[in-house]
Amino acid sequence: MFGGHVTVPVNSPHLRKSGSRQLFSDLETSEMKLAAGAQLATAAMLPSPVLLWRLKVMLFFLWGFSCCKISWDSVMRMSVDLRDLFLYEAFLYYNPLLLVTAAVWFWGVNLWVFAQSNVNYSKIFDLDQNHLSHKEIWKCATWMTIIVPTSMTSYLYLYSHGEVSWAASQPVLLYTAVAIILIFPFDIFYLSTRFFLLRTLWRIVFPFQAIAFADFFVADILTSMSKVFSDLERSICRMVHRQVATIAWFEADSVCGSHAIAIPIVLVLPYIFRLFQCLRQYKDTREKTSLLNALKYSTAVPVIFLSALKYHVFPDNWINFYRPLWLLSSFINSLYSFYWDVTRDWDLSCFTRIFKFTKPHIVSQLIYGRKWVYLWVIGSNLILRCTWTYKLSAHLRHNHLTVFAITTLEIFRRFQWAFFRVENEWNKMSSKQNIQMGDISGEEEKLLNSNNHNV
């Protein structure tokens, strides 16, 4: 007991003089100082986030100016006779992806507003924890904004300089890359989000199950992008038949021409899908409003097919009979859709809370509680609902710049619509949850009152 070896800690106070410091503490402190110094040196070498952001913005504008300059010079090299036809073809290949890019930007704005106002959109759309935030959506939109115009600029430059085969490969490569990224089975490029989108599209095309909110929300967005799908079909048709950067498709009656029957069929498909969703919803719920909603989507069918008849009937028959029917069906469809937006999809009984942000923000100060917001949304929705039929009309599609502008405005209208539609759904879910909590509290109170304990 007394003769055994005694182990004394190296840093024992008995082994050092009074007032001296511990050896290992000095070493650890030195190492920490060296590490901190290295981190500070590394941070000093790296540029500040603000400087990086400014550099990215400068490079982005430089890239945009370069694309515009190269595209303009390429178009000016062509003869006046072929210039309009060539621009029409270029717009046909690239305007679908440009419009999809605009929709992605708008959807990022939607998610940003939802996040600022504490609207639980992930619960509304039944998203998992890996869903994309508005920042990631904007990141995707930024890359799309860079890639699509770059491919279009390459197409214009190569064609104007006589490299027709290389020019024809540009839209083919772009469409192939988009298709591969969408169906890529590995866990890159946001696999869970891509799977969710593909699964939702499958449920839209084949509504064999109960309709979820995400199903008919995405289906409504697809109706606003029907012109996009029509141009996609025309583009893929010309790629398959090797008519890209050729004059073979200039003949309107060709298989990929502007008079093909496939154009109205593709235009009407999103409305047919939405119609079947309403019928499926009526089968599940027996609510008559589902049938009235189905009737709304059915009114788009005569607008599309009556317009397509212009190329298949005599001019006198079109002017005297079919065109008045087309105008009447367009009027009915526009007003019916506008009425449904305001009275059913939105809840405008009180000021919207979607723009009441949890933290002070200039957007919330300008929009929340302002009457002009309602006047703007209702007025613009009515006007764009009326012009919206323009893009559904196959006999007006030759005005490609006008149709592109109207389709962009329609996507903007749908972006506005999404604010109030999601908020309306969130209010319904919140009210149901409050009712359920009230019922549970009432049952607990009854149980407590029914138990009379004598102590």
Side-chain angles (χ1 to χ4, degrees):
M1 176 176 177
F2 294 103
H5 297 285
V6 179
T7 303
V8 181
V10 177
N11 59 348
S12 173
H14 300 289
L15 296 181
R16 54 188 175 89
K17 296 179 180 179
S18 176
S20 64
R21 297 181 179 180
Q22 299 180 18
L23 177 62
F24 286 110
S25 297
D26 292 342
L27 291 175
E28 291 174 358
T29 304
S30 301
E31 291 177 357
M32 291 175 63
K33 288 181 178 180
L34 289 174
Q39 291 178 356
L40 290 174
T42 305
M45 294 173 59
L46 294 175
S48 65
V50 176
L51 183 61
L52 282 176
W53 184 82
R54 290 177 179 176
L55 179 62
K56 290 178 182 178
V57 172
M58 185 181 67
L59 291 176
F60 182 81
F61 279 104
L62 181 62
W63 161 85
F65 175 79
S66 302
C67 286
C68 292
K69 183 68 168 61
I70 295 172
S71 300
W72 177 261
D73 293 342
S74 300
V75 171
M76 289 298 104
R77 286 173 59 94
M78 303 176 191
S79 63
V80 179
D81 297 335
L82 293 178
R83 190 176 297 166
D84 290 339
L85 293 174
F86 179 74
L87 286 177
Y88 173 78
E89 184 188 20
F91 260 91
L92 178 70
Y93 299 140
Y94 290 100
N95 92 85
L97 296 180
L98 290 174
L99 291 169
V100 171
T101 302
V104 175
W105 276 111
F106 286 145
W107 179 239
V109 175
N110 285 130
L111 295 187
W112 176 75
V113 173
F114 297 154
Q116 297 297 319
S117 55
N118 279 343
V119 173
N120 194 351
Y121 62 89
S122 60
K123 183 178 180 181
I124 296 174
F125 292 100
D126 194 20
L127 303 176
D128 59 19
Q129 60 182 0
N130 296 322
H131 69 273
L132 301 187
S133 65
H134 62 276
K135 293 182 180 179
E136 293 165 319
I137 293 292
W138 284 337
K139 184 178 179 181
C140 296
T142 301
W143 280 109
M144 294 171 68
T145 305
I146 294 173
I147 293 172
V148 177
T150 300
S151 176
M152 185 175 180
T153 303
S154 301
Y155 177 81
L156 295 172
Y157 178 82
L158 292 170
Y159 187 89
S160 64
H161 286 75
E163 300 291 341
V164 178
S165 59
W166 283 101
S169 66
Q170 298 305 306
V172 176
L173 292 174
L174 181 62
Y175 277 62
T176 303
V178 171
I180 291 175
I181 290 174
L182 279 177
I183 64 176
F184 204 61
F186 301 105
D187 194 9
I188 56 175
F189 302 126
Y190 308 115
L191 176 63
S192 60
T193 301
R194 290 187 287 110
F195 177 75
F196 177 83
L197 176 61
L198 294 175
R199 183 186 63 184
T200 303
L201 294 176
W202 178 268
R203 290 164 61 94
I204 291 172
V205 177
F206 303 102
F208 299 137
Q209 64 289 315
I211 307 300
F213 180 81
D215 298 339
F216 65 76
F217 185 87
V218 175
D220 275 331
I221 293 176
L222 296 184
T223 60
S224 294
M225 303 182 72
S226 56
K227 178 64 168 57
V228 172
F229 296 114
S230 176
D231 287 346
L232 282 175
E233 185 275 330
R234 293 290 84 193
S235 300
I236 295 173
C237 177
R238 291 171 187 177
M239 293 176 190
V240 171
H241 291 86
R242 298 185 178 182
Q243 295 182 3
V244 180
T246 67
I247 61 173
W249 61 270
F250 288 172
E251 299 179 3
D253 295 328
S254 67
V255 65
C256 299
S258 59
H259 298 178
I261 191 62
I263 293 176
I265 292 177
V266 176
L267 281 173
V268 82
L269 279 178
Y271 300 93
I272 298 298
F273 296 150
R274 193 68 183 89
L275 173 65
F276 285 148
Q277 281 186 335
C278 295
L279 296 179
R280 170 70 198 207
Q281 201 166 15
Y282 174 74
K283 177 180 178 297
D284 295 336
T285 63
R286 294 298 174 181
E287 295 180 357
K288 293 183 179 180
T289 54
S290 299
L291 294 179
L292 296 175
N293 201 14
L295 179 63
K296 181 191 73 173
Y297 293 103
S298 67
T299 58
V301 177
V303 178
I304 295 171
F305 283 100
L306 285 173
S307 173
L309 282 177
K310 178 183 179 180
Y311 302 121
H312 304 284
V313 298
F314 292 108
D316 292 339
N317 293 337
W318 164 253
I319 295 174
N320 298 325
F321 183 73
Y322 291 108
R323 189 170 67 175
L325 286 179
W326 170 72
L327 292 173
L328 178 62
S329 59
S330 300
F331 178 77
I332 293 174
N333 176 264
S334 298
L335 290 188
Y336 197 165
S337 301
F338 169 75
Y339 167 80
W340 198 271
D341 286 341
V342 177
T343 61
R344 299 290 183 175
D345 288 345
W346 302 343
D347 181 13
L348 302 182
S349 58
C350 60
F351 279 114
T352 177
R353 294 175 297 172
I354 194 72
F355 300 115
K356 185 179 181 180
F357 295 173
T358 55
K359 297 180 180 179
H361 198 280
I362 187 172
V363 174
S364 182
Q365 294 175 3
L366 292 175
I367 296 179
Y368 175 66
R370 308 294 183 181
K371 291 184 179 180
W372 68 266
V373 175
Y374 285 89
L375 297 177
W376 164 261
V377 169
I378 294 175
S380 61
N381 192 76
L382 175 60
I383 294 172
L384 294 177
R385 275 294 189 183
C386 294
T387 57
W388 163 85
T389 56
Y390 191 98
K391 70 181 179 61
L392 295 180
S393 305
H395 73 283
L396 299 174
R397 64 187 296 117
H398 59 278
N399 302 323
H400 55 278
L401 291 177
T402 304
V403 174
F404 178 80
I406 290 177
T407 308
T408 305
L409 291 174
E410 167 61 17
I411 293 175
F412 175 76
R413 186 200 66 80
R414 184 62 67 178
F415 145 78
Q416 288 187 149
W417 171 90
F419 285 129
F420 303 97
R421 184 65 188 89
V422 172
E423 183 192 29
N424 191 19
E425 187 67 19
W426 176 243
N427 291 337
K428 291 179 181 178
M429 293 178 65
S430 299
S431 61
K432 288 181 180 178
Q433 186 176 3
N434 292 335
I435 292 173
Q436 292 175 355
M437 293 297 294
D439 293 341
I440 293 174
S441 299
E443 292 178 358
E444 291 178 351
E445 187 175 351
K446 289 180 181 179
L447 290 174
L448 291 175
N449 293 333
S450 62
N451 295 329
N452 296 322
H453 299 284
N454 296 322
V455 182

